Amino acid sequence: MKNLIGERIRARREALKLPAAELAKRVGVTRAFVYMLENGDSGVTSERLNAFARALGVSVTDLDPDAKPEGVKDDDYLHFLLNSLIPLFQMVTFRLC
């Protein structure tokens, strides 16, 4: 399985011409951790993913489309997800009839 989050972090970092050491400093991790994450050798918590997004000047959903945006309460996010599925269910139901 591909490491899409790490690939997106690397692509954004390189687009900004930002050295891994500088990104690590901004996020509060080691340069080795940045490389491990980019290479798929390490995972990342939601808090740390938000820190990477802030440091790279992007939304957390730009790095992980399934991530909950920072500051959104769990209940609000669940409500958003369920509401975004309603049109899909309506379309499937319509096609089945």
Side-chain angles (χ1 to χ4, degrees):
M1 178 180 217
K2 287 193 163 206
N3 171 32
L4 295 178
I5 294 172
E7 289 175 7
R8 289 175 178 150
I9 288 172
R10 175 183 286 134
R12 179 64 179 163
R13 179 178 66 76
E14 290 176 350
L16 294 172
K17 297 183 178 15
L18 185 66
E22 178 60 27
L23 177 58
K25 181 179 174 184
R26 291 181 186 185
V27 176
V29 297
T30 64
R31 180 178 54 122
F33 179 81
V34 171
Y35 286 131
M36 289 171 54
L37 180 59
E38 290 179 348
N39 292 320
D41 297 329
S42 180
V44 64
T45 64
S46 61
E47 288 177 11
R48 189 129 311 135
L49 185 61
N50 277 295
F52 273 99
R54 282 191 305 274
L56 294 168
V58 296
S59 166
V60 69
T61 55
D62 290 333
L63 301 178
D64 180 3
D66 296 328
K68 180 177 74 170
E70 190 173 30
V72 175
K73 296 178 184 173
D74 287 339
D75 290 344
D76 293 338
Y77 189 62
L78 181 58
H79 187 274
F80 165 77
L81 287 176
L82 291 174
N83 280 332
S84 64
L85 290 175
I86 289 172
L88 176 63
F89 288 130
Q90 289 171 336
M91 183 176 64
V92 170
T93 304
F94 177 75
R95 288 187 179 184
L96 290 176
C97 294

